[in-house]
Amino acid sequence: MAVSGFEGFEKRLELHFSGDDPIIGMGGLRQLDFESIVEILNAVQCTVVSAVGNQYFDSYVLSESSLFVYSTKIIIKTCGTTQLLKSILPLIQYTSELGFIMSECRYTRGNFIFPKAQPYPHTNFNDEIFYLQQQLPIHLCYRKASVMPSKFISHSWHVFTACNEEPNNNDLFTIEVCMTELDRVLARKFFKHPNMASNEMTQVTGISEINPNALICDFVFDPCGYSMNGIDGDRYSTIHVTPEDGFSYASYECVGSIYDDPNDIINILKKVVQVFRPGTMSISTTSTSNEVWTRIAKAVEPLGMKCRSCTMDDFPSTGSVVFQTFTSCRK
């Protein structure tokens, strides 16, 4: 396939660390200075374009997606032709200087729209697995890689996990939504007008209503494209949009607790579908509970999205990953 557009599908890396209580109490990984963060992102080939934080974590909007830094975990999500996995070595170096040891690694991504444009180690999943195996500390001995299929060649889910202990009872879940073939009228709202501020696009598109409680840090790209990170207490959410016809793409990601009101995630996903009206959508749910993923179809099917496939797999420490795909009844 010839390279004819921007790669919207992100690569996502989540790393957990352990350290002494005094270090964590002083902010933990948030003690990483900005110069170190810049060096890490230079290895990935992206930059910080906007940032905000609260008492729980720091949030960075990047030239290609997002970075979140908590006291004991870091999440980096990048799109385009970034080399995300090249962040691992500098991250190990800088975090070890703070007295931290990596305890868990989680890497996920969908199918690239333009796979031949990806540089090593993202040339294919086997290369990514090999690179991860070489870079990660040997004490992360529980490792698993899997490609979770769907009925669509364009939507499958790649998962690699590594940890140093058996599964834990984490009450948090992560939802990763990948959307293609966006409604053309709605996608046009993500093209920048002269003198348009990012918060104006957030309002006009309806993104501000997805979680009205969130503090939003947003950025509009020229001539088109949009990114935002939302902060709501210790929870993050993030949206990235590539609106061009032919390879339109949008992603939504959030975290929640299995103890939340079950209607919370239902209402959020309904709003996400209404903002983008995708032709095809995949939703990956990572959780130690089976309760969460069962709510997803209930959320989106009344909006004309039909569930086409559902795949489940278990991963050490991470819990279960459930991968569901949907298509619009308008297709």
Side-chain angles (χ1 to χ4, degrees):
M1 179 186 291
V3 178
S4 56
F6 183 78
E7 179 60 67
F9 272 96
E10 297 99 346
K11 319 160 182 90
R12 181 187 186 275
L13 184 66
E14 179 173 334
L15 301 173
H16 293 243
F17 297 83
S18 59
D20 295 333
D21 287 341
I23 303 172
I24 296 171
M26 291 185 292
L29 300 172
R30 300 177 72 185
Q31 295 180 81
L32 281 171
D33 57 43
F34 188 69
E35 289 74 17
S36 299
I37 289 172
V38 168
E39 286 297 317
I40 292 163
L41 295 176
N42 282 344
V44 178
Q45 297 182 327
C46 61
T47 57
V48 174
V49 296
S50 187
V52 70
N54 63 9
Q55 69 265 43
Y56 299 104
F57 67 101
D58 297 316
S59 156
Y60 300 87
V61 177
L62 307 179
S63 55
E64 278 87 2
S65 300
S66 298
L67 165 66
F68 302 100
V69 182
Y70 287 79
S71 60
T72 59
K73 72 178 176 183
I74 289 176
I75 299 162
I76 312 181
K77 188 170 185 174
T78 65
C79 54
T81 56
T82 51
Q83 295 168 283
L84 175 61
L85 295 182
K86 290 193 174 179
S87 66
I88 292 175
L89 274 184
L91 272 168
I92 290 173
Q93 175 191 336
Y94 288 122
T95 55
S96 65
E97 290 171 2
L98 292 175
F100 280 90
I101 297 172
M102 191 185 298
S103 59
E104 183 182 337
C105 168
R106 193 185 308 174
Y107 176 66
T108 56
R109 69 166 174 85
N111 267 35
F112 296 128
I113 300 173
F114 308 108
K116 292 183 179 177
Q118 292 296 319
Y120 184 82
H122 299 287
T123 32
N124 58 63
F125 193 47
N126 286 336
D127 287 343
E128 290 173 318
I129 294 169
F130 179 79
Y131 190 85
L132 281 158
Q133 299 277 26
Q134 299 297 311
Q135 303 298 315
L136 292 174
I138 57 173
H139 66 265
L140 300 187
C141 54
Y142 297 98
R143 302 185 180 193
K144 181 173 178 177
S146 177
V147 179
M148 304 178 69
S150 75
K151 287 191 175 181
F152 307 100
I153 296 174
S154 59
H155 282 256
S156 60
W157 198 240
H158 304 70
V159 185
F160 174 91
T161 66
C163 62
N164 62 358
E165 60 185 2
E166 291 290 355
N168 55 44
N169 294 315
N170 189 355
D171 67 340
L172 292 181
F173 64 82
T174 305
I175 299 252
E176 297 173 71
V177 183
C178 300
M179 296 167 280
T180 56
E181 304 158 71
L182 310 181
D183 180 278
R184 289 189 174 188
V185 174
L186 297 177
R188 293 300 300 177
K189 294 182 179 181
F190 293 95
F191 281 77
K192 186 178 182 180
H193 303 304
N195 304 316
M196 186 180 208
S198 56
N199 63 343
E200 182 182 346
M201 187 174 285
T202 301
Q203 295 287 333
V204 167
T205 56
I207 286 173
S208 59
E209 296 304 311
I210 293 174
N211 180 2
N213 298 323
L215 169 65
I216 291 178
C217 181
D218 43 25
F219 192 85
V220 176
F221 296 90
D222 196 6
C224 65
Y226 171 89
S227 288
M228 85 84 172
N229 291 341
I231 293 182
D232 183 5
D234 61 350
R235 314 277 184 85
Y236 73 86
S237 59
T238 183
I239 290 175
H240 304 284
V241 188
T242 302
E244 294 97 322
D245 284 350
F247 51 94
S248 64
Y249 172 84
S251 67
Y252 175 79
E253 179 180 327
C254 69
V255 287
S257 168
I258 59 176
Y259 302 115
D260 290 346
D261 182 333
N263 290 318
D264 288 352
I265 192 62
I266 291 174
N267 293 331
I268 283 173
L269 290 175
K270 282 182 176 178
K271 291 174 184 176
V272 169
V273 171
Q274 289 167 334
V275 167
F276 297 105
R277 295 280 177 187
T280 305
M281 174 172 69
S282 66
I283 303 179
S284 171
T285 308
T286 303
S287 177
T288 56
S289 165
N290 288 330
E291 298 283 323
V292 181
W293 70 268
T294 58
R295 304 171 195 158
I296 289 173
K298 181 181 176 182
V300 302
E301 286 195 331
L303 300 174
M305 301 298 296
K306 183 169 178 59
C307 186
R308 302 294 183 180
S309 61
C310 180
T311 310
M312 181 185 290
D313 203 349
D314 292 321
F315 294 85
S317 184
T318 300
S320 296
V321 176
V322 179
F323 181 63
Q324 296 167 278
T325 55
F326 301 81
T327 56
S328 169
C329 296
R330 67 178 164 84
K331 288 190 69 176

